[in-house]
Every structure is written in structure tokens, then in C-alpha cells.
Amino acid sequence: MGEKMNLKVIRTVKTFSIIVIGTILMFAGLVGSSVNGYAQQEVRIQITEGMPMIPVALPSFQTAGDPAIIEDLKQEVYDTLWNDLAYTRVFKLVSKEYYSYIQKFDPNNIRFRDWESIQANILISGRLEVSAADRIVFSIRVYDVKS
């Protein structure tokens, strides 16, 4: 009895799938034929200038917890964020070489003029910690340097 029920369910599902796929194909055919009925015009897009990339500074993250565990994790999270920001092509990461021209980042005393002097518009700071229960907590702050 159970085997007959399974076959009936499978047939019902297959039938339903065929109906849905057929409906989609029919709709696509109707839409395609109505689109083809109109004269198409040539569209030209000329990009002369893109939007300027936003300069971002990403100093090394602050950490709390066991240094043996946190240092590798900190670097992995930092590198991932750095690469993701670079990949967007919306942000231009300020070269790490320029960070040596200003005082080291201190989250308790942020010197926005220093970050502005190395051409950063946005400053992103992060803090990574491993709690006693081995939970990873990552907090991030984003600052507009010019405000």
C-alpha cells in the first residue's frame, strides 16, 4: 500500500512539474513573440567618466584575548575585509605605506586630521576578541574623516 502511495505522489509531482514548465515556456513564447513584434532600436551607451573611487583607510584591528589564537584570526579577517573592499572597485584603499607618516591608530584618541592628510575620506576601525566561551566577537566602526 505504501509503495502504491509513493508512486502516486511521484506521478503527481512529475505531472505538476510538467504543467509548471509548460506554462513557463508558453509564457516565454508569448512574451518573446510580442517583443519581436516591435521594431528594435540600436542603443548606444558611451561611458566617458566613471564615479571617483572613495579613499578608505583600514588600520590594523585592535584585539583582546589569547594572542596565540587571535593573531592569525585577526590577520585573516583583516585581509578578507581589505580584499573585499578592493574588489568592489568603489573604494580605493589608502596604501599601508602611508600609515607610517601619521601616529598609530588609537581608538580612544582618533586624530582625523592625520587620516585626512594621507588622503583618506573614510576610516574603518575594527576590534576582534575571543571571549571566555570561545566566541569570536568582531566590532567595526566607520568614520567620515572630514566631518
Side-chain angles (χ1 to χ4, degrees), residues 1-11:
M1 175 92 174
E3 214 171 287
K4 287 183 180 180
M5 183 65 139
N6 286 341
L7 290 174
K8 191 173 186 180
V9 169
I10 290 172
R11 283 187 190 135

Side-chain angles (χ1 to χ4, degrees), residues 26-136:
M26 184 177 72
F27 181 73
L30 291 175
V31 170
S33 66
S34 67
V35 170
N36 291 334
Y38 294 106
Q40 294 184 0
Q41 296 179 1
E42 185 175 320
V43 176
R44 288 186 165 201
I45 299 174
Q46 183 176 2
I47 300 172
T48 57
E49 188 176 316
M51 186 174 175
M53 294 171 68
I54 303 166
V56 175
L58 185 65
S60 184
F61 296 148
Q62 306 295 310
T63 58
D66 182 8
I69 298 171
I70 202 95
E71 284 305 312
D72 288 338
L73 184 60
K74 174 183 93 167
Q75 195 59 47
E76 187 172 334
V77 172
Y78 181 86
D79 290 343
T80 301
L81 182 58
W82 181 279
N83 292 334
D84 286 351
L85 288 170
Y87 180 76
T88 66
R89 311 245 334 129
V90 172
F91 303 104
K92 175 185 168 203
L93 289 152
V94 175
S95 175
K96 294 175 190 176
E97 172 187 322
Y98 296 155
Y99 298 177
S100 64
Y101 301 151
I102 60 175
Q103 287 185 356
K104 187 176 177 184
F105 178 74
D106 177 7
N108 299 320
N109 183 23
I110 302 172
R111 300 171 54 107
F112 292 106
R113 287 187 186 198
D114 287 352
W115 293 100
E116 188 176 6
S117 74
I118 61 169
Q119 305 301 311
N121 289 359
I122 294 176
L123 172 65
I124 300 175
S125 71
R127 179 176 173 80
L128 191 67
E129 56 187 283
V130 177
S131 68
D134 288 336
R135 295 187 72 182
I136 300 169

Side-chain angles (χ1 to χ4, degrees), residues 12-30:
T12 304
V13 170
K14 283 184 179 179
T15 304
F16 180 74
S17 297
I18 291 170
I19 291 171
V20 169
I21 292 171
T23 304
I24 292 171
L25 290 174
M26 184 177 72
F27 181 73
L30 291 175

